[in-house]
PDB file of all heavy atoms in Angstrom:
ATOM      1  N   VAL A 330      -1.822  10.043 -37.831  1.00 68.00           N
ATOM      2  CA  VAL A 330      -1.821   8.851 -38.685  1.00 68.00           C
ATOM      3  C   VAL A 330      -1.560   9.256 -40.135  1.00 68.00           C
ATOM      4  O   VAL A 330      -0.773   8.637 -40.847  1.00 68.00           O
ATOM      5  CB  VAL A 330      -3.155   8.087 -38.572  1.00 68.00           C
ATOM      6  CG1 VAL A 330      -3.178   6.891 -39.508  1.00 68.00           C
ATOM      7  CG2 VAL A 330      -3.369   7.641 -37.127  1.00 68.00           C
ATOM      8  N   ILE A 331      -2.237  10.318 -40.583  1.00 70.00           N
ATOM      9  CA  ILE A 331      -2.024  10.826 -41.935  1.00 70.00           C
ATOM     10  C   ILE A 331      -1.046  11.987 -41.844  1.00 70.00           C
ATOM     11  O   ILE A 331      -1.363  13.041 -41.298  1.00 70.00           O
ATOM     12  CB  ILE A 331      -3.332  11.327 -42.570  1.00 70.00           C
ATOM     13  CG1 ILE A 331      -4.388  10.234 -42.539  1.00 70.00           C
ATOM     14  CG2 ILE A 331      -3.082  11.818 -43.986  1.00 70.00           C
ATOM     15  CD1 ILE A 331      -4.094   9.043 -43.413  1.00 70.00           C
ATOM     16  N   SER A 332       0.152  11.787 -42.332  1.00 63.00           N
ATOM     17  CA  SER A 332       1.149  12.855 -42.294  1.00 63.00           C
ATOM     18  C   SER A 332       2.057  12.713 -43.502  1.00 63.00           C
ATOM     19  O   SER A 332       2.090  11.671 -44.157  1.00 63.00           O
ATOM     20  CB  SER A 332       1.973  12.786 -41.006  1.00 63.00           C
ATOM     21  OG  SER A 332       2.633  11.535 -40.909  1.00 63.00           O
ATOM     22  N   SER A 333       2.773  13.770 -43.795  1.00 59.00           N
ATOM     23  CA  SER A 333       3.696  13.723 -44.918  1.00 59.00           C
ATOM     24  C   SER A 333       4.842  12.784 -44.583  1.00 59.00           C
ATOM     25  O   SER A 333       5.362  12.801 -43.464  1.00 59.00           O
ATOM     26  CB  SER A 333       4.239  15.121 -45.211  1.00 59.00           C
ATOM     27  OG  SER A 333       3.181  15.988 -45.566  1.00 59.00           O
ATOM     28  N   ALA A 334       5.238  11.963 -45.535  1.00 52.00           N
ATOM     29  CA  ALA A 334       6.359  11.058 -45.316  1.00 52.00           C
ATOM     30  C   ALA A 334       7.637  11.862 -45.118  1.00 52.00           C
ATOM     31  O   ALA A 334       7.761  13.003 -45.577  1.00 52.00           O
ATOM     32  CB  ALA A 334       6.512  10.130 -46.520  1.00 52.00           C
ATOM     33  N   VAL A 335       8.578  11.276 -44.395  1.00 44.00           N
ATOM     34  CA  VAL A 335       9.849  11.956 -44.129  1.00 44.00           C
ATOM     35  C   VAL A 335      10.538  12.327 -45.429  1.00 44.00           C
ATOM     36  O   VAL A 335      11.149  13.382 -45.561  1.00 44.00           O
ATOM     37  CB  VAL A 335      10.760  11.046 -43.272  1.00 44.00           C
ATOM     38  CG1 VAL A 335      12.122  11.677 -43.084  1.00 44.00           C
ATOM     39  CG2 VAL A 335      10.111  10.758 -41.930  1.00 44.00           C
ATOM     40  N   ASN A 336      10.421  11.461 -46.432  1.00 45.00           N
ATOM     41  CA  ASN A 336      11.060  11.709 -47.723  1.00 45.00           C
ATOM     42  C   ASN A 336      10.075  12.242 -48.757  1.00 45.00           C
ATOM     43  O   ASN A 336      10.158  11.942 -49.934  1.00 45.00           O
ATOM     44  CB  ASN A 336      11.711  10.427 -48.246  1.00 45.00           C
ATOM     45  CG  ASN A 336      10.699   9.303 -48.406  1.00 45.00           C
ATOM     46  OD1 ASN A 336       9.630   9.344 -47.813  1.00 45.00           O
ATOM     47  ND2 ASN A 336      11.044   8.283 -49.192  1.00 45.00           N
ATOM     48  N   SER A 337       9.080  13.057 -48.277  1.00 50.00           N
ATOM     49  CA  SER A 337       8.060  13.571 -49.181  1.00 50.00           C
ATOM     50  C   SER A 337       8.679  14.486 -50.236  1.00 50.00           C
ATOM     51  O   SER A 337       9.694  15.139 -49.993  1.00 50.00           O
ATOM     52  CB  SER A 337       6.978  14.334 -48.405  1.00 50.00           C
ATOM     53  OG  SER A 337       7.534  15.450 -47.765  1.00 50.00           O
ATOM     54  N   ARG A 338       8.035  14.546 -51.413  1.00 51.00           N
ATOM     55  CA  ARG A 338       8.531  15.404 -52.490  1.00 51.00           C
ATOM     56  C   ARG A 338       8.554  16.847 -52.013  1.00 51.00           C
ATOM     57  O   ARG A 338       7.636  17.329 -51.368  1.00 51.00           O
ATOM     58  CB  ARG A 338       7.602  15.281 -53.704  1.00 51.00           C
ATOM     59  CG  ARG A 338       7.458  13.868 -54.249  1.00 51.00           C
ATOM     60  CD  ARG A 338       8.519  13.512 -55.265  1.00 51.00           C
ATOM     61  NE  ARG A 338       8.446  14.370 -56.444  1.00 51.00           N
ATOM     62  CZ  ARG A 338       7.837  14.017 -57.576  1.00 51.00           C
ATOM     63  NH1 ARG A 338       7.219  12.862 -57.667  1.00 51.00           N
ATOM     64  NH2 ARG A 338       7.842  14.829 -58.614  1.00 51.00           N
ATOM     65  N   SER A 339       9.593  17.581 -52.311  1.00 44.00           N
ATOM     66  CA  SER A 339       9.775  18.915 -51.735  1.00 44.00           C
ATOM     67  C   SER A 339       9.498  20.046 -52.718  1.00 44.00           C
ATOM     68  O   SER A 339       9.866  21.175 -52.470  1.00 44.00           O
ATOM     69  CB  SER A 339      11.213  19.052 -51.197  1.00 44.00           C
ATOM     70  OG  SER A 339      12.146  18.832 -52.240  1.00 44.00           O
ATOM     71  N   THR A 340       8.891  19.744 -53.868  1.00 43.00           N
ATOM     72  CA  THR A 340       8.580  20.815 -54.813  1.00 43.00           C
ATOM     73  C   THR A 340       7.580  21.781 -54.204  1.00 43.00           C
ATOM     74  O   THR A 340       6.746  21.410 -53.396  1.00 43.00           O
ATOM     75  CB  THR A 340       7.998  20.236 -56.112  1.00 43.00           C
ATOM     76  OG1 THR A 340       6.924  19.363 -55.778  1.00 43.00           O
ATOM     77  CG2 THR A 340       9.061  19.468 -56.879  1.00 43.00           C
ATOM     78  N   ASP A 341       7.657  23.056 -54.599  1.00 46.00           N
ATOM     79  CA  ASP A 341       6.782  24.072 -54.026  1.00 46.00           C
ATOM     80  C   ASP A 341       5.321  23.844 -54.406  1.00 46.00           C
ATOM     81  O   ASP A 341       4.418  24.191 -53.686  1.00 46.00           O
ATOM     82  CB  ASP A 341       7.220  25.462 -54.476  1.00 46.00           C
ATOM     83  CG  ASP A 341       8.553  25.848 -53.858  1.00 46.00           C
ATOM     84  OD1 ASP A 341       8.848  25.325 -52.762  1.00 46.00           O
ATOM     85  OD2 ASP A 341       9.282  26.634 -54.468  1.00 46.00           O
ATOM     86  N   ALA A 342       5.090  23.274 -55.568  1.00 50.00           N
ATOM     87  CA  ALA A 342       3.714  23.056 -56.014  1.00 50.00           C
ATOM     88  C   ALA A 342       3.646  21.756 -56.805  1.00 50.00           C
ATOM     89  O   ALA A 342       4.630  21.320 -57.400  1.00 50.00           O
ATOM     90  CB  ALA A 342       3.246  24.221 -56.865  1.00 50.00           C
ATOM     91  N   LEU A 343       2.471  21.157 -56.791  1.00 61.00           N
ATOM     92  CA  LEU A 343       2.259  19.936 -57.561  1.00 61.00           C
ATOM     93  C   LEU A 343       1.482  20.286 -58.822  1.00 61.00           C
ATOM     94  O   LEU A 343       0.606  21.149 -58.811  1.00 61.00           O
ATOM     95  CB  LEU A 343       1.458  18.927 -56.737  1.00 61.00           C
ATOM     96  CG  LEU A 343       2.140  18.349 -55.506  1.00 61.00           C
ATOM     97  CD1 LEU A 343       1.185  17.410 -54.797  1.00 61.00           C
ATOM     98  CD2 LEU A 343       3.397  17.603 -55.882  1.00 61.00           C
ATOM     99  N   ASP A 344       1.800  19.599 -59.886  1.00 73.00           N
ATOM    100  CA  ASP A 344       1.037  19.742 -61.123  1.00 73.00           C
ATOM    101  C   ASP A 344       0.536  18.369 -61.521  1.00 73.00           C
ATOM    102  O   ASP A 344       1.227  17.366 -61.376  1.00 73.00           O
ATOM    103  CB  ASP A 344       1.918  20.318 -62.237  1.00 73.00           C
ATOM    104  CG  ASP A 344       2.085  21.815 -62.104  1.00 73.00           C
ATOM    105  OD1 ASP A 344       1.086  22.474 -61.773  1.00 73.00           O
ATOM    106  OD2 ASP A 344       3.205  22.313 -62.295  1.00 73.00           O
ATOM    107  N   PHE A 345      -0.692  18.361 -62.012  1.00 82.00           N
ATOM    108  CA  PHE A 345      -1.308  17.120 -62.467  1.00 82.00           C
ATOM    109  C   PHE A 345      -1.228  17.098 -63.991  1.00 82.00           C
ATOM    110  O   PHE A 345      -1.835  17.921 -64.664  1.00 82.00           O
ATOM    111  CB  PHE A 345      -2.756  17.092 -61.957  1.00 82.00           C
ATOM    112  CG  PHE A 345      -3.568  15.953 -62.482  1.00 82.00           C
ATOM    113  CD1 PHE A 345      -3.055  14.661 -62.535  1.00 82.00           C
ATOM    114  CD2 PHE A 345      -4.860  16.167 -62.915  1.00 82.00           C
ATOM    115  CE1 PHE A 345      -3.818  13.618 -63.033  1.00 82.00           C
ATOM    116  CE2 PHE A 345      -5.633  15.125 -63.393  1.00 82.00           C
ATOM    117  CZ  PHE A 345      -5.106  13.847 -63.457  1.00 82.00           C
ATOM    118  N   HIS A 346      -0.462  16.148 -64.544  1.00 85.00           N
ATOM    119  CA  HIS A 346      -0.213  16.149 -65.983  1.00 85.00           C
ATOM    120  C   HIS A 346      -0.926  15.031 -66.736  1.00 85.00           C
ATOM    121  O   HIS A 346      -1.330  15.207 -67.880  1.00 85.00           O
ATOM    122  CB  HIS A 346       1.293  16.015 -66.253  1.00 85.00           C
ATOM    123  CG  HIS A 346       2.096  17.137 -65.719  1.00 85.00           C
ATOM    124  ND1 HIS A 346       2.068  18.402 -66.256  1.00 85.00           N
ATOM    125  CD2 HIS A 346       2.958  17.191 -64.665  1.00 85.00           C
ATOM    126  CE1 HIS A 346       2.877  19.194 -65.578  1.00 85.00           C
ATOM    127  NE2 HIS A 346       3.423  18.486 -64.600  1.00 85.00           N
TER     128      HIS A 346
END
Side-chain angles (χ1 to χ4, degrees):
V330 177
I331 305 293
S332 59
S333 298
V335 175
N336 59 340
S337 63
R338 302 273 298 262
S339 58
T340 51
D341 291 333
L343 293 178
D344 281 320
F345 173 44
H346 298 289

